[in-house]
Amino acid sequence: MNHSQYVSSLQGSIGRTLVKELCKCSPTIRRKYYDTCVRYWCLKEFVVRFDKGLIRPDGKYERCHRFFDAVLFVEPTINARAQKWTFRVGVEVKCTEHDLTKDNKIPYYLGWTDFFFLAVPDELVPQALKKAKSDSRIGVMSLTSGKILKMPSWQDIPTGRKYELMLQAFFGYMNKDVPINQFVLR
């Protein structure tokens, strides 16, 4: 499979398996739900734009951006939004060893989503675990089975970044036909 096929697999059974695992251990959920309808949106090639805090010579703020391969917006229960149980998952897909070892942008993705994962095929799992070993906020998942191989720690993201994510999702992606994946957590 190529990179775009791996990213698209997050909208299917691979993404569903990941979301199930995260719903069982998310700190936002106060009790266990096993017969609850879970909804999630998988937005591919997600761009987050933000101010760097620097002013250009023309007086405008200098903007910067981050490209996530996918961001999953998860609603683990029917009343998740009202109870503030929703969470966001950033996924960076690496399908070759060269791409995994040479990528130095991973620290820039941290702090934007509640969970962050490196998603790799099974043959790259040892290299991904080695790369994620240095930071507890980086998780590793298998693109073959969707199983979590290293659970990342929960990142308490600032409200401003949550707002930026939702703004980008609304304006950049809600005009496209983004499927809502829905299933019952068992």
Side-chain angles (χ1 to χ4, degrees), residues 67-106:
F67 289 93
F68 285 92
D69 286 330
V71 172
L72 285 69
F73 291 89
V74 182
E75 283 187 7
T77 65
I78 293 170
N79 296 324
R81 274 185 243 158
Q83 296 167 342
K84 297 184 174 131
W85 290 351
T86 60
F87 57 91
R88 292 139 299 279
V89 182
V91 180
E92 184 66 17
V93 174
K94 301 295 178 192
C95 50
T96 65
E97 186 175 356
H98 180 268
D99 189 21
L100 177 64
T101 56
K102 299 299 180 198
D103 188 7
N104 295 324
K105 301 177 303 208
I106 290 174

Side-chain angles (χ1 to χ4, degrees), residues 47-185:
V47 180
V48 177
R49 292 176 181 84
F50 58 96
D51 288 331
K52 287 173 100 176
L54 302 173
I55 299 177
R56 299 187 313 207
D58 61 359
K60 295 181 182 177
Y61 280 101
E62 189 173 329
R63 300 283 286 172
C64 190
H65 59 273
R66 299 283 174 252
F67 289 93
F68 285 92
D69 286 330
V71 172
L72 285 69
F73 291 89
V74 182
E75 283 187 7
T77 65
I78 293 170
N79 296 324
R81 274 185 243 158
Q83 296 167 342
K84 297 184 174 131
W85 290 351
T86 60
F87 57 91
R88 292 139 299 279
V89 182
V91 180
E92 184 66 17
V93 174
K94 301 295 178 192
C95 50
T96 65
E97 186 175 356
H98 180 268
D99 189 21
L100 177 64
T101 56
K102 299 299 180 198
D103 188 7
N104 295 324
K105 301 177 303 208
I106 290 174
Y108 298 115
Y109 294 118
L110 301 174
W112 284 99
T113 55
D114 299 310
F115 294 106
F116 177 77
F117 285 94
L118 280 174
V120 295
D122 284 344
E123 61 268 10
L124 294 178
V125 167
Q127 293 92 337
L129 288 171
K130 183 178 177 185
K131 188 163 187 111
K133 184 179 182 182
S134 63
D135 197 332
S136 66
R137 299 173 295 170
I138 303 172
V140 177
M141 69 168 281
S142 167
L143 281 171
T144 310
S145 64
K147 294 289 182 187
I148 297 173
L149 305 169
K150 179 185 181 260
M151 183 68 187
S153 61
W154 175 266
Q155 298 179 52
D156 193 19
I157 31 179
T159 305
R161 286 195 173 182
K162 289 179 187 178
Y163 176 74
E164 282 293 324
L165 276 174
M166 294 309 292
L167 202 64
Q168 296 298 325
F170 180 76
F171 288 115
Y173 291 93
M174 292 305 164
N175 293 329
K176 297 179 183 178
D177 227 4
V178 178
I180 299 172
N181 302 294
Q182 191 167 321
F183 61 92
V184 175
L185 186 63

